[in-house]
Amino acid sequence: MKVYKIVGMMSGTSLDGLDLAYCHIWKNKGKWTFEIKCTDSVSYDQKMEKELKDAIHLPAEKLLQLHNSYGTWLGEKANSFITDNDLEVDFIASHGHTSHHRPELGLTFQLGSGQHLANASQKKVICDFRTNDLALGGQGAPLVPIGDQLIFGEYDFCLNLGGISNISFEVKDRRIAYDIGLANMILNYITRKIDLDYDQDGNMARSGVINKNMLKELNDLKYYLLPYPKSIGYEWFLEEVVPIVENTDDTIENLLHTSIHHICEKIAQQVSLNSNKQKQQLFITGGGALNSFLIETLKQKLDPKIEVVVPNKQLIEFKEALVFALMGALREEREINVLKTVTGAKRDSSSGVIFLPN
């Protein structure tokens, strides 16, 4: 039985840093199984956070320079992680950091050059998991649902609360998944106005009240009316959401409180639409699962038959890095790792580009 020893790496839209998870992944009686051996999170300094956030505005040559330098940085961080923990590694599976996501134009771009990463880490690298799906007519996102299907399939719904909220579930043996809408991206945007990275446990949000005009504006965003498959990126947030926040004259507490009610209303709406009205489980991971006010609010808005399952902190924070490790293992086995039912592509694919160190 082949056990893959992989470092999965993920940087999310909330820009809270780089997640690394060293995973052992293997197939047992036809089912993929995992063990997370050790993890680390590397926060971005102010300079890098600003570079990544502003990458969307860069001219092509500057964007490619950042792509290469960030790839080297990823490789250095991976190398330190491997060395410090004395890890035996088959390869690194890296998502990179999404700077552009415009599937309607047939493009998405993940910063973090695979060759620079491989050279800096001196390890084989599998990355760029999205481009092949775009070439097949898909959105290149979301990608995590393959992990939901293969290793978290006992749950009726898998919800990720990163910068964006996305959900996946089975309908007649087909995995369906899409970005619901906002999550930490709007909350972190608001707290950064007062130089806070995030609202610990949602305590500031808890002390606020709903701003009805803001809630209505957020709820009326046209994206929510689109059918799936659908996905959003930072561009949508800048164009559609930031003006609503900036044009609302209210306290930080009220902005946060209103945003959480919006996030939870939209999630509850989608769970309700796709629920069979029986007792079902909603498995929640991503940084938003650590926001106790958000989870309490969501429970209030969900049907009582929906049981909310929040796993241990390691899985909450590193599930996406784990899934990219799994996607790397699937790529090695030439098995499907991107689902057409999720992305809207012509067919399923085994995606990811392999880079060897020089």
Side-chain angles (χ1 to χ4, degrees), residues 254-290:
N254 291 353
L255 293 177
L256 290 168
H257 188 91
T258 304
S259 298
I260 280 184
H261 275 268
H262 163 71
I263 291 162
C264 294
E265 279 181 26
K266 289 302 176 184
I267 292 168
Q269 199 175 67
Q270 292 305 309
V271 172
S272 176
L273 277 172
N274 296 290
S275 169
N276 62 16
K277 309 305 177 191
Q278 304 298 313
K279 192 166 176 57
Q280 292 182 292
Q281 288 187 317
L282 174 67
F283 181 67
I284 306 181
T285 54
L290 300 171

Side-chain angles (χ1 to χ4, degrees), residues 183-243:
N184 295 330
M185 199 184 276
I186 188 171
L187 302 177
N188 295 353
Y189 179 85
I190 293 165
T191 58
R192 283 180 181 133
K193 288 174 172 293
I194 53 170
D195 293 326
L196 269 183
D197 287 337
Y198 59 93
D199 178 14
Q200 181 79 39
D201 293 325
N203 288 331
M204 291 177 68
R206 190 189 299 276
S207 68
V209 295
I210 290 174
N211 180 305
K212 289 180 181 175
N213 288 339
M214 178 183 173
L215 183 61
K216 185 178 187 310
E217 283 190 76
L218 289 172
N219 284 345
D220 288 348
L221 286 166
K222 289 176 184 172
Y223 173 78
Y224 294 117
L225 299 174
L226 296 175
Y228 58 76
K230 60 179 182 176
S231 57
I232 45 179
Y234 189 58
E235 297 95 325
W236 174 79
F237 176 72
L238 282 181
E239 291 165 15
E240 303 287 338
V241 180
V242 167

Side-chain angles (χ1 to χ4, degrees), residues 83 96 108 139 167 169 184 198 234 246-247 250 267 270 273 292 309 331-332:
T83 304
T108 188
Q139 301 227 344
I167 195 165
F169 49 91
N184 295 330
Y198 59 93
Y234 189 58
E246 292 301 328
N247 292 329
D250 210 332
I267 292 168
Q270 292 305 309
L273 277 172
S292 54
V309 179
R331 176 69 178 84
E332 283 288 278

